[in-house]
Structures are given as structure tokens and as C-alpha cells.
Amino acid sequence: MKVLKKGTIVGLTSLFALSLTLAGCSSETSKEPAASASAAPAASEKPAATKAATGSDLKPYEVKLVYPGTPQPDQAKVEDAMNKVLKDKINASIKLMPIDWGQWDNKTNLMIASREEFDILFTAQWNGHAVNVGKGALMPLNDLLTQYGKGITDALDPAFLEGAKINGKNYGIPTNKELAASGGVVYRADIAKELGLDMGKVKTMADLGDVLKTVKEKKPEMTALFLRDGDNLNAHYMAQYDYLGDSTIPGVILKDGSDTKVVPKWDQPRYKEILKLTRDFMQKGYINKDAATTQLSGQDALKSGNVFMITSSLKPGKDAELANATNLVGKLGQIELTPRTISTGDTAGSMLGISVTSKDPARAMMVINLLHTDKQLNNLINFGIEGVHYTKVSDNIIKATDAGKNYAPGAAWQFGNQFLNYLYDNEDPQKWDKFKEFNKSGKKSPGLGFTFDSEPVKTQVAAAVNVGKEFDATLDTGSVDVDASLPKYQDKMKAAGIDKIIAEKQKQLDAFLAANKK
């Protein structure tokens, strides 16, 4: 990724100020990833569907949407309902293509490598976004956004689009949602009450030990703490690492700190402390033994009924959202264990990109625009069909029906504009107002406004990403001895070229900070 162009960064005392800060930035380097090296039409070539006045102006087209999540029993019914809306507005239909979280990386990497034809892809900085842009998998969207995304730009805080740019271009359209982030746990509040646990005493990761010990002793049939690759005590949202862009690329500062020296994560004292704590929990039997390899998401693990606690990136009402998605209404609670922070990466934490293999990128952008603007379509993909999967309590409040379990993807944070979402009757009716307050309370990372351009060290980055895949999952889940495995990880990263990556990242960050001194 890239250093954003020189601009004056003002004090970030509100989201508005944050918007001004990032909106004053753009690319400084002219070199672009080879995203246009595809048989599919480039965004600037004005693909087939160049008029978006009405559906009657356009030829029929099926838009394939690929995203992480568990396929739902009533998916076909929801597709049919969405198609009625899409046909009338843009003469399109939609094919929902969810992929289980445990298979997400492997399957999407294969789809990209084989140049499989599809249209829209979920993407995020923490999920290899910059790497996939470097592979030429995603299309630059600026022209398409101008032509077909007015609803997006009207509603979305400029901070999101500016913060998500690579080389001055957007390769993904961010979800309109919370901008700050914190890490913590979601747990079975009903079980905690049954066991007499005082969850209010849990303030740190180490405090989890006594709770997990009690659950293990009194509920041996339950997994006390469910962890997996990417969702564990050392995840970026828990440890507060700011990767200054794509989290698969080595070199961090701390979002909750003030130091701007870029280092390998193992040079941050908390890294090894967390690994040791996790290893201790694993050896005591608190963590699922298959943590490094499980195909389950945390949401699906909770839904299984045999899990007491998961780690999670948190926001107001996250426990209620998960409760509705897991049939555990009224049975979940959440605890923040980290400060609330804002980094450039948080602006690109959930996006929809358009594949270079799309046969009609314009129509794909029209669908993304509708997910940001059309309340009916947005709520169909997120909650299903009114009268089937839920009933209306009021204009914006819904109640799940018995059939609601057949369509509960729990993925509203992935699609369009969350501020269009209905609220379940068990959620706080002031949820969206609390989102705004949550954002205002976030501490700004010292690297806010900067993203790393990996192009100068792309060979080293490719090698380092593969080394990370070999070691991160087993270390982060406590599945291997830290003292035995960490030195091997460090040696292989050094051989892959981590020193060059970090030197380049530091060089770019220093230039950015110097250019934007107050």
C-alpha cells in the first residue's frame, strides 16, 4: 500500500475532523499494481452497462457476490426477493455465494488464481486486501464510483474512502459502520450467572484465567474459550497492533501508543506475553484443541451451544447482534479489554471490491450502491423476508419469527450501510447514536492517515506472507511451545526479507509524518 499525499493533518477531535484529515490526502507515487491486466474491461473503459437511469435501459445480468459466512437454508428465497428489487431498479439478479470462514482464504485464493468469473468480493485490510490488489485481482473503482456510486459518496464519511486508498485509488467500497474499534470477548451471560461468575471483575486478558478455570471445572462439556486463526488473544483488534495497512504484511506500531518506530510484532513486549498466556490456557484445557485448524467461525462456534466465550472486535451492541445470529437472544454479554482506537486500517476493515473477472463492473457497482442506499434491499440481505423471517414491531424494529433461524447470516457489518439496518427488538433502540459516540471516543493511532505501499518490496512481502501462514495460527492459538517455535518463525521471516520490509515501511511512515507536521 501507499503513503498518502502530503497534506495538512489537523487535530482529530471528532469524526468530522478525522474526515478532513484523511480527505486532504492522496497518492504520492505514480506506480500502480497491475490490476488492469485482465480480459475484463477496466473501470475507465466504461463497461457494457453505461446507463443507469432505469432497469429497462440495461440488459439482464446476474451479479455474483462472494463473501464469508455460513450458507443459510433460506438463501434461495432471499435471493428471489432481492431479485424483484434488483430487476426493477437495474434489471439485475443476484447470486449469493457465502463461503465458510474456515475455508475463506483457501477458496478465495483459488478463485483469484484461476481467474474465476464473479463480480463482488468481500475484502479487508486485515484479510490480505493489499496483497490481492498487488495480484491484480481487484479493479480500481474511482471512475465507477463517480458514475454509479453517488449514493455511496453522499452517505459515507470521506474518511472511509480516503483511508482505504492504495496508490490514490479505491479497490474496495467500505461498509458505512463504526469507525473506532476495540477488542474483547463475547460470552454466555446465562452460564456466567448460573456459575455465579462476577464478569465485572474481568478487566484484562489475564483476568480471564479464573473465569475459564471455573467454566472448565463446572462445565467440562463446554469449550471455555474458542479460538481460531485470526480470532484469538493476539489478533490485531486485541493486541492493538497497527500494521499501517494490510495486516498480513510485517511491521507494526501500537494503536494505543505514541511511538512511531516500526518493528516486528515480536519486538512489542505484549506479543510474547500474549502468546505465553494463550499457551498456558491451552495447556490447562480452556481452549479448543483444534484452534489452529478449525473451520468454524466464532459465531458458528457460539451457535453450536458448547462454547462459553470467544474473542471479538467490539462495538456497541455486538453481543445483541451475535445473539440474534446464533439463536442465543438474551444469553450473551460482552467485555471490552482494550482501549477504543482509530487507525487508517479501521476505515478499510470491511469492504466490497469488484473482481477484474466481472463481465459487467458497472452493474456490480450499482448493486453496491443500492446496498448503501436502498433500505429494502439492504435489510433483505441482512435479515431476510418480512413476514417470513421477521415481523415488524415498528418502522425500524423487528422481531424474529420461528423461521428466522433459517436466515440469520449475522453479517450486516459486511454489506453497504449499517445505518439502514433494522434493529431487533432485543437491541438498544439508541444503537446508532451510540455508534457515533463510540467513534468520537476512539484514541487516534500515531499512524492515522498513512498506509504502506508494498510495491518496492513486493517480493519480500510475498515470501513473508507465506511464512506467516506457516507460524501465526499455531503460535497465536497456543497450539505450540512458544520458546521452541518463535525462534524458527523469526529466522524464516528474516530469510524472507522482513528487515527490508520494515525499513521500507519506516521510510514511508517517516516521510508521511514529516510532511504532515502540525
Side-chain angles (χ1 to χ4, degrees):
M1 297 174 93
K2 193 71 247 143
V3 189
L4 301 176
K5 192 188 227 171
K6 298 177 182 179
T8 300
I9 292 196
V10 297
L12 302 174
T13 56
S14 67
L15 270 181
F16 177 67
L18 173 61
S19 302
L20 290 177
T21 299
L22 295 176
C25 305
S26 63
S27 175
E28 192 174 73
T29 299
S30 60
K31 202 167 189 179
E32 281 183 33
S36 60
S38 166
S44 61
E45 293 173 354
K46 295 188 180 180
T50 55
K51 295 180 181 179
T54 65
S56 60
D57 297 323
L58 306 168
K59 295 179 180 179
Y61 184 73
E62 181 182 68
V63 176
K64 296 178 180 178
L65 170 57
V66 180
Y67 59 96
T70 304
Q72 302 293 302
D74 280 358
Q75 179 176 302
K77 292 180 181 178
V78 173
E79 283 178 347
D80 288 344
M82 293 179 68
N83 289 344
K84 292 176 182 177
V85 178
L86 291 169
K87 180 175 176 54
D88 179 58
K89 292 184 179 292
I90 59 171
N91 200 22
S93 58
I94 196 161
K95 177 65 176 176
L96 301 178
M97 299 174 64
I99 298 173
D100 282 317
W101 273 106
Q103 302 172 22
W104 172 254
D105 288 340
N106 288 337
K107 285 196 173 183
T108 53
N109 285 339
L110 181 60
M111 292 171 74
I112 289 168
S114 65
R115 286 299 197 251
E116 181 175 333
E117 288 183 13
F118 62 95
D119 300 282
I120 302 173
L121 178 73
F122 172 83
T123 182
Q125 281 198 350
W126 50 265
N127 195 230
H129 177 64
V131 173
N132 284 332
V133 169
K135 291 177 181 177
L138 297 172
M139 188 171 288
L141 303 179
N142 300 61
D143 291 344
L144 287 168
L145 185 62
T146 298
Q147 290 177 295
Y148 308 110
K150 186 177 186 303
I152 296 168
T153 54
D154 284 349
L156 192 62
D157 191 301
F160 283 99
L161 286 167
E162 280 300 325
K165 283 182 177 178
I166 300 176
N167 292 341
K169 294 185 180 294
N170 289 102
Y171 293 85
I173 303 299
T175 304
N176 195 359
K177 61 183 189 67
E178 81 283 353
L179 190 53
S182 68
V185 294
V186 175
Y187 66 95
R188 287 287 297 272
D190 57 332
I191 301 296
K193 183 177 180 180
E194 176 188 335
L195 300 182
L197 295 170
D198 184 358
M199 301 302 288
K201 291 182 177 179
V202 176
K203 306 295 184 184
T204 69
M205 294 184 200
D207 293 340
L208 295 171
D210 289 341
V211 169
L212 300 175
K213 182 176 185 291
T214 300
V215 175
K216 170 72 174 174
E217 290 173 350
K218 297 187 176 181
K219 293 279 187 180
E221 74 282 3
M222 294 194 83
T223 296
L225 176 61
F226 177 85
L227 300 183
R228 66 185 303 274
D229 183 19
D231 289 306
N232 47 67
L233 298 175
N234 203 44
H236 66 96
Y237 56 81
M238 295 292 285
Q240 293 290 289
Y241 303 131
D242 186 343
Y243 286 86
L244 304 167
D246 195 320
S247 65
T248 65
I249 300 174
V252 302
I253 62 173
L254 296 179
K255 291 194 286 184
D256 58 347
S258 58
D259 194 350
T260 57
K261 182 181 179 182
V262 180
V263 298
K265 59 188 174 184
W266 49 72
D267 281 357
Q268 298 289 358
R270 67 183 62 175
Y271 175 74
K272 195 167 183 179
E273 291 172 6
I274 293 171
L275 293 189
K276 291 279 191 179
L277 180 66
T278 307
R279 179 62 175 165
D280 179 57
F281 287 174
M282 175 65 84
Q283 290 181 310
K284 289 176 177 175
Y286 304 160
I287 299 170
N288 49 304
K289 293 296 184 185
D290 65 345
T293 58
T294 181
Q295 301 296 297
L296 281 180
S297 66
Q299 178 175 303
D300 288 339
L302 279 175
K303 194 171 185 177
S304 72
N306 293 319
V307 167
F308 175 74
M309 180 183 291
I310 64 170
T311 63
S312 181
S313 177
L314 296 181
K315 58 188 176 182
K318 181 64 175 283
D319 51 353
E321 283 186 12
L322 280 173
N324 287 308
T326 56
N327 299 319
L328 292 170
V329 174
K331 296 180 179 181
L332 298 181
Q334 67 183 54
I335 302 172
E336 284 186 282
L337 296 175
T338 75
R340 298 171 179 182
T341 56
I342 301 173
S343 70
T344 310
D346 295 321
T347 66
S350 173
M351 301 184 289
L352 295 178
I354 297 178
S355 171
V356 294
T357 63
S358 172
K359 294 301 184 185
D360 196 336
R363 204 78 61 95
M365 179 59 76
M366 292 178 202
V367 170
I368 296 173
N369 188 65
L370 286 172
L371 289 172
H372 276 262
T373 58
D374 191 287
K375 189 165 185 172
Q376 182 183 9
L377 188 72
N378 180 288
N379 285 293
L380 272 169
I381 195 171
N382 285 312
F383 306 114
I385 303 166
E386 182 181 356
V388 178
H389 303 110
Y390 65 86
T391 56
K392 284 279 197 79
V393 175
S394 63
D395 284 346
N396 206 47
I397 306 295
I398 62 174
K399 182 180 179 65
T401 64
D402 289 341
K405 64 181 181 295
N406 294 324
Y407 193 82
W413 58 277
Q414 294 183 37
F415 304 124
N417 184 355
Q418 273 214 274
F419 296 93
L420 297 178
N421 291 172
Y422 293 141
L423 297 174
Y424 279 108
D425 57 347
N426 65 305
E427 294 187 273
D428 185 342
Q430 303 303 314
K431 176 178 177 178
W432 303 129
D433 291 333
K434 289 184 177 180
F435 263 43
K436 294 173 185 176
E437 290 302 313
F438 180 75
N439 288 340
K440 290 178 182 178
S441 69
K443 178 196 176 297
K444 284 77 183 179
S445 168
L448 181 64
F450 167 81
T451 53
F452 174 57
D453 173 18
S454 63
E455 179 67 18
V457 286
K458 62 183 181 182
T459 301
Q460 290 82 3
V461 165
V465 167
N466 286 331
V467 175
K469 289 178 180 177
E470 181 181 351
F471 286 92
D472 281 332
T474 54
L475 278 166
D476 290 346
T477 58
S479 301
V480 293
D481 180 76
V482 178
D483 293 329
S485 189
L486 183 55
K488 296 176 184 177
Y489 185 19
Q490 294 169 322
D491 288 345
K492 286 201 173 185
M493 273 295 190
K494 191 168 185 66
I498 188 174
D499 292 342
K500 289 185 178 180
I501 296 170
I502 288 177
E504 179 64 28
K505 192 176 280 193
Q506 186 73 67
K507 175 185 173 184
Q508 292 182 24
L509 177 60
D510 288 346
F512 169 80
L513 294 172
N516 292 287
K517 265 187 178 178
K518 293 179 183 178

